[in-house]
Amino acid sequence: MADVFPGSLTCFHIEMVTTATSRESTPLPQKRGFVYKAAGVAALGGLLFGYDTGVISGAALFLRGEFALSTFQLEVVVAGVLLGAAAGALTGGRFSDLFGRKKLLIVTAIIFAAGAILCAAATSSSMLVIGRIIVGVGIGLSSGTVPVYISEISPADARGWQVSLFQLAITVGILLAYIVGYAFAAIEGWRWMFGVALFPAVVFGTGMLFLPESPRWLTQRGLHAQARDVLAHMRGTQEVDTELREIEASLSHAEERGRWSDLLEVSLRPALIAGIGLAIFQQITGINTVIYYAPTILQSAGIPSASGAILATAGIGAVNVLMTLVAMRLIDRMGRRPLLLTGIAGMIVTLALLGISFRFSDQGTLAWLAVISMMLYVASFAISLGPIFWLLISEIYPLKIRSSCQGLAASFNWGFNLLVTLTFLTLVELLGASLTFWLYGACAIASWIFSYYFIPETKGRTLEQIEEFWRAGRSRRVA
Ligand code: BGC
C-alpha cells in the first residue's frame, strides 16, 4: 500500500499500522458465532431497504391503472420513499445517539411493518403515498443506524465484511424485489408485492428483541457493567479490558457534548467532509438510474422485447449481489482504499462505454455492449462505492455523535438519490442518453480524485484508533 499511495497518505497508513493490532484482543473465529448472528439479524434492515426501494419498479406498472394516476402523481409515489428516507436518516441518527441503537432498530421494524400493511391495503392514492413515506422513514432509520450498530459490535479485523453485510442485504433485497415483481406481474398482484415486506420486517424486529445493545453506546451512557458483559459475550472472552479502556478514552473529550455543533469542531471537519462527500458521489455517479430504470435503458439501447429487458435486469441484480460478496472477501484484507479506487476506475470506464453504446445504438449493433457495460458498471460499484460508503460512515465518526453524523451523511445520500432519480429521464430527453452517462462518468472522475485525497484507510483499526487519528489532525492531505 505504501508504494501504491504516495505522499502524505503513506505517512497516514504507516502511522495507523504501527499503532495497530497489538492493542486489540483478537478472539478466535469459532468464538465469534454470536457477533456474526447479531450482524446478520441487524442486516435485515438492509434487506428491507433494498426490497422496498426496488419493488416500486414492478408495482408502478399496475398502480397507474388502479388509481388513475397522472405521471406527476406516480412520481410522487416513487419519490415519497426517498423523501421519507432522507427525513428518517436525519432524525434517526440523533434518536439512536439519545435512546440507543437497539431500541431504534426495533421501532424501525415496526415502521417497516406498518408501511407494508398500509401500502398493501391502500384504497386511494393518498393512502398509498402515506404508506410509501412511512416505508421511506423506515429505510432512512435503518440506513442511519444499522451500519453503526454492526460497526460497534464488530471486532476490528472483521468490521469491514460485517458492516458490508448491510450492503449485501440491500442488493439481495433489490434482487428479491425484481423476482417478486416478476412473479406477481401475471396476476397484477401489486398488493402482494408491497405486502411481502411484512415478513422480513417481523423477523427483523423479533430478532432485534433478542440482541444486546451496542457496548459502545452502553459505555457512553455510563452503563459500564452491562457494556463489559455484552463485550465479553460478543468477543467470546473475558479479556476485554483493553477494548473497554479505549472506548472510555474516546469519551473523555469534554469539549464534545454530543450535539450537532460538535461537528463544526476543526479536528472533525475532515471526517465530516469525507462522509458527506462520499454520500453525494455514491449517488451522482448514477447507480440508481440503472437500479431503478434498467429495463427502460436496455430497451432504448436496442433490446426489443420487454421480457429480454427484464431478464437482463435480473442478471444485473445478480451481478450486484455476487460482486458485493467478492468485496466482502477483500475488504478486510486489501483495505478500503485500494478497493474503492479500483472500483471507481471501473465505473469511469464502463460509463464511458455505456455512453458509446448509446451513441451508436441507432445502428442496432451495440445493444450487447450496453448490457455488458451496465453489468460491469454495477460490478465496479458493488466492490467500491456501494459497500465502502456505508462502511466508512459507520466507522469514521467519534462515538459521542457517531449515529448523528452517520444519519447526516445518509440523509445527504437520500437527498442526492432523489435528485438523480427525478432528473434522469429529463436529462436523457435534453442531452440524450449518451451525454447523460458521460456526465455521470465525469462525476465518477471527480469521485476518484476526492477519494484519493480525502478517504483514509481504516482497515484493521479499532473505532477508537480511527477517532484518535482525526483528532491528531493528521488528515489534511491536500495542502
Ligand atoms: C445505495 C443505493 C443503491 C444500492 C444498489 C446502495 O449502497 O445507497 O442507493 O440502490 O446500493 O446496490
Side-chain angles (χ1 to χ4, degrees):
M1 163 102 183
D3 311 325
V4 185
F5 302 109
S8 47
L9 287 171
T10 313
C11 308
F12 164 65
H13 181 70
I14 291 169
E15 263 171 73
M16 294 287 265
V17 168
T18 46
T19 50
T21 41
S22 54
R23 289 201 277 151
E24 178 76 344
S25 62
T26 310
L28 297 171
Q30 64 266 31
K31 292 191 173 166
R32 289 182 177 175
F34 181 68
V35 78
Y36 293 167
K37 276 184 218 142
V41 170
L44 282 174
L47 186 109
L48 284 150
F49 164 162
Y51 184 84
D52 278 319
T53 49
V55 75
I56 196 68
S57 60
L61 297 173
F62 310 107
L63 295 176
R64 258 197 167 185
E66 181 84 28
F67 297 112
L69 298 180
S70 65
T71 303
F72 176 71
Q73 283 172 316
L74 186 63
E75 274 170 1
V76 173
V77 173
V78 175
V81 152
L82 302 178
L83 280 175
L90 193 62
T91 48
R94 189 87 192 102
F95 285 133
S96 126
D97 275 339
L98 287 175
F99 303 112
R101 319 323 189 195
K102 175 178 166 163
K103 280 197 202 93
L104 198 84
L105 288 177
I106 294 170
V107 171
T108 304
I110 296 171
I111 291 177
F112 269 126
I117 294 172
L118 259 176
C119 290
T123 49
S124 65
S125 59
S126 37
M127 190 167 162
L128 188 70
V129 170
I130 293 170
R132 287 297 283 169
I133 291 177
I134 290 176
V135 166
V137 171
I139 295 176
L141 292 175
S142 135
S143 67
T145 307
V146 170
V148 167
Y149 177 75
I150 302 181
S151 176
E152 289 186 343
I153 60 173
S154 300
D157 63 350
R159 192 177 59 241
W161 76 260
Q162 288 202 188
V163 177
S164 302
L165 275 175
F166 180 67
Q167 174 69 15
L168 180 70
I170 295 175
T171 61
V172 171
I174 293 172
L175 185 60
L176 274 179
Y178 289 158
I179 295 170
V180 171
Y182 188 68
F184 285 110
I187 56 161
E188 303 198 358
W190 62 270
R191 291 185 191 279
W192 283 103
M193 295 179 199
F194 289 130
V196 161
L198 185 61
F199 299 106
V202 170
V203 178
F204 175 42
T206 317
M208 281 309 303
L209 283 176
F210 295 97
L211 294 185
E213 181 50 88
S214 146
R216 286 175 163 82
W217 185 84
L218 288 170
T219 309
Q220 186 196 348
R221 291 281 132 171
L223 302 167
H224 298 282
Q226 259 174 281
R228 159 171 267 292
D229 286 351
V230 171
L231 210 55
H233 190 43
M234 293 271 186
R235 300 288 176 265
T237 167
Q238 287 299 319
E239 287 159 30
V240 291
D241 290 338
T242 317
E243 199 171 345
L244 277 174
R245 261 198 309 276
E246 283 188 346
I247 299 173
E248 277 158 27
S250 81
L251 289 167
S252 64
H253 294 271
E255 71 279 12
E256 281 157 23
R257 287 159 302 166
R259 302 205 182 133
W260 285 111
S261 51
D262 293 346
L263 292 178
L264 300 176
E265 214 191 288
V266 177
S267 64
L268 298 184
R269 220 168 283 159
L272 197 65
I273 294 172
I276 292 181
L278 220 50
I280 297 172
F281 282 120
Q282 201 212 35
Q283 293 300 326
I284 62 172
T285 42
I287 185 64
N288 286 315
T289 63
V290 173
I291 299 294
Y292 302 161
Y293 296 107
T296 319
I297 300 175
L298 288 167
Q299 278 197 313
S300 59
I303 292 191
S305 75
S307 58
I310 290 172
L311 205 66
T313 305
I316 289 168
V319 166
N320 200 6
V321 174
L322 288 176
M323 290 309 286
T324 307
L325 281 168
V326 171
M328 286 170 66
R329 250 194 103 59
L330 298 177
I331 211 159
D332 291 307
R333 299 178 192 181
M334 270 175 77
R336 288 50 161 160
R337 280 179 54 85
L339 265 185
L340 186 64
L341 294 173
T342 311
I344 299 175
M347 289 169 73
I348 297 171
V349 174
T350 48
L351 282 167
L353 288 177
L354 209 51
I356 293 174
S357 65
F358 273 95
R359 176 104 325 174
F360 300 105
S361 63
D362 47 341
Q363 295 165 18
T365 47
L366 290 183
W368 57 270
L369 181 60
V371 177
I372 293 174
S373 317
M374 266 167 90
M375 289 204 172
L376 291 177
Y377 164 72
V378 169
S380 306
F381 173 88
I383 58 158
S384 59
L385 279 173
I388 294 174
F389 161 63
W390 293 109
L391 171 60
L392 273 164
I393 63 168
S394 76
E395 54 184 21
I396 59 174
Y397 296 118
L399 175 53
K400 274 190 190 164
I401 43 169
R402 184 168 295 143
S403 231
S404 304
C405 292
Q406 143 107 16
L408 184 69
S411 65
F412 267 88
N413 188 263
W414 287 110
F416 278 83
N417 185 339
L418 182 65
L419 185 80
V420 172
T421 309
L422 288 184
T423 51
F424 173 61
L425 294 178
T426 316
L427 276 180
V428 171
E429 257 173 47
L430 286 177
L431 307 174
S434 167
L435 266 184
T436 304
F437 285 114
W438 284 336
L439 187 67
Y440 298 136
C443 293
I445 294 176
S447 153
W448 195 96
I449 297 169
F450 174 86
S451 303
Y452 184 85
Y453 284 107
F454 291 97
I455 302 301
E457 182 53 78
T458 51
K459 174 184 93 166
R461 322 300 311 147
T462 64
L463 296 177
E464 290 67 35
Q465 287 164 350
I466 298 170
E467 196 169 329
E468 266 322 301
F469 164 77
W470 296 116
R471 289 188 201 290
R474 275 170 269 158
S475 48
R476 294 185 170 273
R477 291 179 199 102
V478 215

